Amino acid sequence: FDEREPTNGRELDAYDFEYCLNRTWFAEGAYHPGSVDPDARPTSIYATDKWTCVMEVPPKQIGVIWLLTGAMSWIYPKEVIETYGDMTDWRNLRGAGPFILEDYVSGSYIKYLRNPNYWQYDPYNPENRLPYVDGLKSLVIDDTSTRLAAFRTGQVDRMGTITWEDGELLKTQCPDLLYITSYGACNFPVLRVDKPPFDDIRVRQAVNMAINRQEIVDDYYKGNAVLMGWPYNPSKDYSPWYRPMNEQPEAVQQLFSYDPVEAKRLLAEAGHPDGFKTKIQCQTINADFLAIIKEYLAAINVDMEIEPLESGAFYSIYRGRNHDEMVFKGWTNHWPARMLDVRQESFDNHSFYESETTRAWYNEVMGHYFDASYIDPILKEYGSYVLGQAIGIWLPVEYNYHMWWPWLQNYHGEGNMGFIQPEFFIYYSWLDTELKESLG
């Protein structure tokens, strides 16, 4: 751990894992136990010696426990909790990572210093202790033009999740920039299937068929988007489960077709010959885009009221799943094995959808998680099945850019190291100050 009190640079050991993992899995209000079934939790966690921590788990739940423990567990010294009660004050944060939190200003920046006691060496240059850089500053710049100006003028070394529009502009303005492209967030209207009118799948099918997705790709995104990007996008990461449109079941292909005539017929069959009114809640920033969806739905006599909310109010509704009928959200496409969008106990299930089919698949996947040959066909079938259930209005997914200046050495466009470690990939990188000076 770092050299500050109360840890004073002491060595991290298995007893720290025992303490933190028990707190992660069994503390009141913790995320892990609240996001899984009661029987999907460890039965015991204990250290047998200084370097061995044992976690005993139900065999059929080994998959989800391994996923959550491996990707979303933080190891910290128990002295901090014993001394301060918690770490809600950032000044009390202590860890054993590559950087030490030096300063934090809400809505402005987070500043880290190099941890001189960090344990890891560069695997390709084993004489070099990591991290290379003396510090790291992560800026929060809400205004897009200000953010782009800071990056364009070299005040910021790296910037991720840049929209395709801004990325194309930066490529023109700053030809020295390096970049990769990726798929952006999967933002869709989610439909509450536990109450009318979206409890009827015909209504859900109708609102999907009312949207001209190809027109959105061509006109709104200027071709910089894919027609189908959830639950899997056509990237290498999702290749074991991705199924292109021409291989999807006919019901899914029909959902993605633009057919307002059939949409009206389905609404009439479902008891809404004159359409209906509904409401979608969203962040203010998304209201203009949703106006396009509103116009498409109006053509089949569905009057969608858009309720824009500032971020605090929106996330209060979003995290509490207190939306009325529709909410515009980022859908989960990480960890497909967890099927977060179709389990009632999941915080991410904003459609309130669940079925015996998806539950059975989830149990099978969790019980055979380390056997890819067993679970990959299930996850592939699950992808098509959940699309066919139309629990959201499926929309195109745009491309993003990750860009950086060439003086940021040994960086290749990474967004994180693991599930939630923003910016810490930088501990493998360094700055070529001479190159930065030569580029002006």
Side-chain angles (χ1 to χ4, degrees):
F1 292 106
D2 67 60
E3 295 180 334
R4 295 171 295 172
E5 294 184 353
T7 51
N8 300 307
R10 75 163 177 84
E11 198 171 43
L12 177 150
D13 59 33
Y15 296 102
D16 294 302
F17 277 77
E18 176 188 62
Y19 176 82
C20 294
L21 293 179
N22 272 291
R23 196 164 183 259
T24 295
W25 273 105
F26 301 115
E28 183 179 353
Y31 170 81
H32 287 47
S35 65
V36 297
D37 289 334
D39 65 348
R41 303 174 187 177
T43 53
S44 62
I45 305 170
Y46 55 92
T48 58
D49 57 47
K50 189 175 181 180
W51 304 117
T52 307
C53 184
V54 176
M55 177 182 288
E56 297 180 351
V57 305
K60 70 174 184 176
Q61 300 293 356
I62 190 171
V64 67
I65 295 173
W66 183 85
L67 275 169
L68 286 171
T69 302
M72 296 179 65
S73 293
W74 291 266
I75 309 303
Y76 44 85
K78 67 178 180 180
E79 300 98 301
V80 174
I81 307 302
E82 292 171 345
T83 302
Y84 304 112
D86 55 42
M87 290 186 290
T88 54
D89 185 338
W90 64 267
R91 298 170 185 83
N92 299 334
L93 184 65
R94 301 290 184 271
F99 297 101
I100 298 170
L101 182 58
E102 182 191 32
D103 195 13
Y104 166 67
V105 177
S106 178
S108 182
Y109 66 84
I110 305 173
K111 186 178 181 181
Y112 303 91
L113 289 178
R114 180 180 184 272
N115 181 359
N117 292 329
Y118 186 57
W119 58 274
Q120 189 173 0
Y121 288 79
D122 188 331
Y124 295 101
N125 299 281
E127 71 280 4
N128 296 339
R129 183 190 288 270
L130 298 174
Y132 283 109
V133 296
D134 295 326
L136 170 66
K137 193 171 186 179
S138 185
L139 302 176
V140 180
I141 307 175
D142 289 331
D143 180 69
T144 301
S145 60
T146 304
R147 185 166 62 248
L148 292 173
F151 183 53
R152 188 171 55 246
T153 56
Q155 299 175 64
V156 173
D157 303 303
R158 173 260 176 193
M159 191 167 153
T161 58
I162 301 170
T163 67
W164 65 269
E165 295 170 294
D166 292 334
E168 290 296 316
L169 182 62
L170 285 168
K171 283 163 60 178
T172 302
Q173 295 174 331
C174 308
D176 291 321
L177 282 172
L178 303 176
Y179 62 87
I180 63 169
T181 57
S182 65
Y183 296 98
C186 303
N187 295 313
F188 307 128
V190 61
L191 314 174
R192 285 199 64 157
V193 305
D194 61 331
K195 58 170 65 176
F198 299 117
D199 57 340
D200 191 321
I201 193 171
R202 294 169 297 185
V203 174
R204 307 199 299 268
Q205 292 167 335
V207 295
N208 268 279
M209 295 172 69
I211 309 302
N212 191 335
R213 295 167 182 79
Q214 192 61 55
E215 188 172 66
I216 294 174
V217 169
D218 294 339
D219 295 347
Y220 185 80
Y221 292 120
K222 308 300 181 187
N224 294 281
V226 290
L227 203 67
M228 180 181 67
W230 187 91
Y232 316 123
N233 59 47
S235 66
K236 183 178 179 180
D237 290 340
Y238 294 108
S239 59
W241 320 302
Y242 176 76
R243 183 176 280 163
M245 184 61 69
N246 62 357
E247 296 179 13
Q248 291 287 348
E250 183 179 348
V252 173
Q253 295 189 39
Q254 189 175 19
L255 273 185
F256 277 79
S257 68
Y258 174 54
D259 193 343
V261 174
E262 176 63 10
K264 286 183 178 180
R265 189 195 70 77
L266 285 168
L267 286 182
E269 186 180 284
H272 303 281
D274 300 319
F276 60 88
K277 292 185 177 181
T278 186
K279 180 171 74 171
I280 187 166
Q281 292 159 299
C282 66
Q283 293 189 79
T284 303
I285 194 173
N286 299 128
D288 287 345
F289 174 76
L290 285 174
I292 299 173
I293 308 305
K294 177 183 175 70
E295 187 174 341
Y296 282 127
L297 294 179
I300 62 167
N301 299 318
V302 173
D303 181 7
M304 184 181 76
E305 176 191 349
I306 301 171
E307 182 183 358
L309 300 166
E310 57 89 16
S311 294
F314 174 79
Y315 277 104
S316 177
I317 292 171
Y318 171 68
R319 294 318 303 171
R321 295 196 293 173
N322 296 321
H323 52 290
D324 298 323
E325 295 178 349
M326 306 170 67
V327 64
F328 190 70
K329 61 163 279 187
W331 287 66
T332 56
N333 64 340
H334 56 272
W335 291 349
R338 289 189 65 196
M339 302 183 189
L340 292 167
D341 296 299
V342 296
R343 291 189 291 111
Q344 288 290 1
E345 70 274 13
S346 168
F347 298 126
D348 294 296
N349 183 354
H350 290 85
S351 70
F352 293 86
Y353 174 86
E354 181 166 333
S355 71
E356 293 181 359
T357 300
T358 53
R359 178 62 68 171
W361 279 337
Y362 172 74
N363 290 335
E364 284 293 300
V365 168
M366 287 301 119
H368 299 82
Y369 183 77
F370 298 103
D371 184 353
S373 64
Y374 187 93
I375 70 170
D376 282 354
I378 295 175
L379 292 175
K380 193 169 189 175
E381 192 65 26
Y382 160 75
S384 295
Y385 179 87
V386 74
L387 285 173
Q389 292 301 304
I391 57 178
I393 298 180
W394 312 128
L395 298 175
V397 174
E398 66 177 305
Y399 300 133
N400 277 171
Y401 281 96
H402 297 272
M403 292 183 150
W404 64 99
W405 285 100
W407 59 71
L408 181 59
Q409 298 284 301
N410 202 31
Y411 176 68
H412 313 284
E414 298 87 351
N416 55 57
M417 300 289 284
F419 176 53
I420 303 179
Q421 289 193 33
E423 314 295 352
F424 279 9
F425 49 79
I426 295 296
Y427 68 142
Y428 284 104
S429 305
W430 61 87
L431 297 178
D432 185 335
T433 54
E434 292 182 1
L435 177 58
K436 183 174 183 177
E437 185 176 347
S438 71
L439 291 174

